[in-house]
């Protein structure tokens, strides 16, 4: 059976304007079926072309001929498009603004199809895997469909090698998450990459079982089906890296600025993480002071620009790293102090880790989880603090910091006068790996525990967050960082 993946035509078609010869018999004698599809009166070959104008909200122009023994032919990218649309719809149901899908994600997807020469181009590529299914593709008016705001007219693709372009044209399930992440950042939604991956793991956004929602006529058999079958959810690092590559590949224009009021900015994002970690909200003032000292309050630093600032920020890791460095400033984290907060949060952390381990086992078995570990509604928080039944413990949100700060020369000043840090010499990110495994045994246990707490909250590895902490410390102490 011949199967691949596309969309209906997106432009109006008039019968007498279609003069292309039939791919099967070369005759130019077209009729229109009751469903509005063109067919050859000579050999009865049916093609994908129709008379009606189809809604452009999530389609691209691609005209594919179909042979009588195969039925309609689908192209691979349409399978991913169907999954991408379901993922976007899931986020809309969770409260994401509709503009995220219609005005942003859809445009990025169209741009991806054009850059990979799968759509919106006069000379579409022919997939090696599905070569037998590609009969004809006409897209003469395609470029007018893409908004000029997305074309990055000031940057040429001449410097991008053709081999690299071909390697990026292969869509994967991980790429769907990378595209969604970029669209969320562009829309300045209050969803970080760790939030997105948690929604995926909890089943609120389809991924592992997304292929099950494909229409029956689109489902693949044999080795090709593995393209949509994934056994695990990719890591934060791998999706971020994929998104970074897409920024370069798509040559996206400058993103809307991440102003201090935007929920991706470290100011509001760090306040959210302080609340989730059950830390005093008075710490937020000191986080903002440190943010200014590190030069991280400026919106330009957090705004992606493919020309001047092409590195995609890791918003969630940045905010968590700022809190950890602030905690080192205020409390030392040198194993010489022990406080009520640690004992309280440690108990909740152990319980949460046990629940997550149960969920991971369910995911590995690709089976439904027992009722006891089913997730409730989605939440931005990992923990629930307060006096209500079922909470993780009493809230320390409004605890005062009078034991760790004092008034000095008219200014509130931390009582802790010592600050320790590992070597902060910059490493070459292309050749150097994380030093955390070798440093970890010598690091203070209180610092390691705090690192593990925020690593759990963001569901990232400790070394990954540790590298971000070092990055913040380099900025605080004015140590120049090598460009990535």
């Amino acid at each position: 059976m011949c199967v691949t993946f596309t969309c209906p035509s997106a432009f109006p078609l008039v019968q007498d304007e279609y003069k292309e010869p039939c791919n099967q018999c070369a005759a130019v004698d077209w009729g229109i079926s009751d469903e509005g599809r063109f067919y050859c009166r000579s050999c009865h070959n049916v093609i994908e072309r129709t008379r009606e104008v189809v809604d452009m909200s999530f389609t691209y122009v691609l005209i594919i001929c179909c042979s009588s023994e195969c039925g309609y032919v689908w192209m691979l990218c349409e399978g991913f498009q169907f999954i991408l649309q379901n993922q976007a719809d899931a986020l809309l149901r969770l409260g994401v603004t509709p503009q995220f899908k219609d005005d942003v994600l859809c445009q990025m997807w169209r741009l991806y199809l054009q850059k990979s020469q799968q759509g919106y181009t006069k000379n579409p590529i022919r997939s090696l895997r599905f070569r037998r299914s590609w009969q004809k593709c006409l897209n003469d008016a395609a470029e007018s469909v893409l908004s000029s705001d997305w074309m990055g007219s000031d940057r040429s693709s001449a410097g991008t090698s053709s081999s690299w372009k071909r390697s990026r044209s292969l869509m994967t399930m991980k790429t769907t998450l990378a595209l969604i992440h970029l669209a969320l950042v562009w829309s300045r939604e209050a969803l970080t990459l760790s939030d997105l991956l948690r929604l995926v793991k909890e089943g609120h956004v389809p991924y592992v079982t997304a292929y099950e929602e494909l229409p029956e006529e689109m489902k693949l058999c044999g080795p090709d089906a593995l393209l949509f079958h994934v056994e695990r959810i990719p890591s934060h690092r791998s999706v971020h890296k994929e998104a970074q590559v897409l920024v370069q590949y798509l040559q996206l224009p400058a993103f809307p600025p991440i102003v201090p009021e935007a929920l991706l900015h470290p100011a509001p994002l760090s306040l959210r993480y302080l609340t989730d970690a059950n830390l005093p909200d008075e710490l937020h003032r000191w986080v903002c002071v440190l943010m200014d000292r590190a030069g991280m309050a400026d919106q330009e630093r957090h705004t992606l620009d493919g020309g001047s600032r092409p590195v995609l920020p890791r918003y969630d890791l940045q905010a968590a790293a700022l809190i950890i460095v602030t905690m080192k400033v205020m409390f030392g984290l040198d194993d010489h102090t022990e406080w009520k907060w640690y004992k309280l949060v440690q108990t909740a952390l152990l319980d949460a880790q046990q629940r997550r381990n149960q969920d991971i086992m369910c995911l590995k078995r690709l089976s439904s989880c027992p009722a006891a570990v089913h997730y409730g509604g989605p939440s931005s928080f990992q923990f629930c603090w307060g006096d209500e039944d079922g909470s993780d413990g009493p809230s320390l949100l409004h605890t005062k910091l009078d034991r760790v700060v004092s008034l000095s020369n008219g200014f509130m000043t931390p009582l802790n006068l010592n600050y320790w840090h590992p070597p902060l010499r910059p490493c070459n990110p292309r050749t150097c790996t994380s030093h955390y495994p070798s440093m970890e045994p010598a690091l203070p246990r209180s610092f390691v525990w705090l690192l593990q707490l925020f690593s759990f909250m963001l569901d990232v590895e400790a070394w990954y967050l540790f590298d971000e902490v070092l990055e913040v410390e380099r900025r605080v102490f004015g140590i120049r960082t090598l460009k990535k």
Side-chain angles (χ1 to χ4, degrees), residues 334-478:
D334 53 7
D335 291 344
H336 294 161
T337 55
E338 185 178 32
W339 8 306
K340 173 186 174 182
W341 171 78
Y342 163 77
K343 294 180 179 179
L344 179 65
V345 176
Q346 171 68 353
T347 302
L349 177 60
L350 292 175
D351 291 341
Q353 287 174 331
Q354 185 177 5
R355 289 195 302 269
R356 180 176 290 177
N357 290 337
Q358 287 179 310
D359 300 334
I360 291 174
M361 291 303 297
C362 292
L363 183 62
K364 286 183 177 179
R365 293 169 186 161
L366 294 179
S367 61
S368 60
C369 296
V373 293
H374 270 192
Y375 292 102
S379 171
S380 297
F381 298 94
Q382 295 280 2
F383 302 102
C384 177
W385 305 105
D387 300 326
E388 298 81 7
D389 292 340
S391 66
D392 292 302
S395 172
L396 303 179
L397 183 64
H398 301 301
T399 303
K400 299 299 181 181
L401 297 178
D402 48 4
R403 293 188 178 183
V404 294
V405 297
S406 66
L407 187 64
S408 176
N409 297 324
F411 296 95
M412 297 302 295
T413 306
L415 292 176
N416 176 52
L417 300 178
N418 299 315
Y419 188 91
W420 65 268
H421 58 79
L424 297 179
R425 60 182 181 277
C427 298
N428 188 331
R430 297 182 179 180
T431 60
C432 193
T433 57
S434 176
H435 297 289
Y436 180 72
S438 61
M439 290 182 177
E440 191 271 340
L443 294 174
R445 294 299 91 188
S446 54
F447 169 76
V448 171
W449 181 86
L450 186 64
L451 194 70
Q452 291 173 344
L453 170 64
F454 281 95
S455 297
F456 175 83
M457 288 169 52
L458 303 181
D459 199 8
V460 298
E461 295 181 270
W463 70 263
Y464 192 42
L465 180 55
F466 178 74
D467 289 353
E468 195 71 32
V469 170
L470 294 184
E471 198 72 15
V472 171
E473 290 181 321
R474 291 187 187 107
R475 296 190 64 84
V476 169
F477 292 103

Side-chain angles (χ1 to χ4, degrees), residues 295-311:
M296 297 177 65
D298 188 354
Q299 68 183 37
E300 289 187 4
R301 173 172 172 77
H302 308 289
T303 302
L304 181 64
D305 187 333
S308 59
R309 288 188 178 271
V311 178

Side-chain angles (χ1 to χ4, degrees), residues 311-329:
V311 178
L312 176 64
R314 298 181 292 191
Y315 299 99
D316 37 15
L317 269 68
Q318 282 184 355
L322 280 166
I323 294 174
I324 292 173
V325 175
T326 302
M327 293 285 284
K328 289 175 67 177
V329 170

Side-chain angles (χ1 to χ4, degrees), residues 155-172:
R155 286 184 290 141
S156 171
S157 60
T160 306
S161 69
S162 58
S163 61
W164 187 81
K165 284 184 177 181
R166 286 194 297 271
S167 70
R168 298 308 314 154
S169 67
L170 178 61
M171 187 75 177
T172 66

Side-chain angles (χ1 to χ4, degrees), residues 37 58 60 93 113 197 238 272 295 300 338 352 360:
R37 297 191 179 277
F58 218 90
Y60 64 95
R93 290 192 294 271
L113 292 173
L197 292 176
S238 65
R272 171 186 148 190
E300 289 187 4
E338 185 178 32
I360 291 174

Side-chain angles (χ1 to χ4, degrees), residues 246-257:
L246 280 175
V247 170
Q248 179 185 357
Y249 178 65
L250 299 180
Q251 296 184 299
L252 295 174
F255 278 47

